[in-house]
Amino acid sequence: GPAWLKIDAATGLLSGTPDAVGQVEVMVTARIERNVRTLDEKTLAWGNEKVLSTSTEQVGAATQKFVIVLQ
């Protein structure tokens, strides 16, 4: 999208003040990620939890193109 168009990552709200009239093509991609923990299975067998590592993995994504008409 144009430089003046901002997106709030938490809410998805688009905002901004256009600098000219006309049509602007915008493409927005939303991703779903989750935190992944690897646990020590020997410790877990005793009812305790020991985290060996953490990471983030993408579990989904969608992209939408649209046109904003500025008058």
Side-chain angles (χ1 to χ4, degrees), residues 5-34:
L5 185 62
K6 307 293 183 227
I7 185 167
D8 183 310
T11 65
L13 180 68
L14 297 173
S15 63
T17 303
D19 49 13
V21 297
Q23 293 187 355
V24 178
E25 186 173 302
V26 177
M27 181 171 34
V28 176
T29 300
R31 292 181 181 88
I32 300 172
E33 297 178 338
R34 68 176 176 187

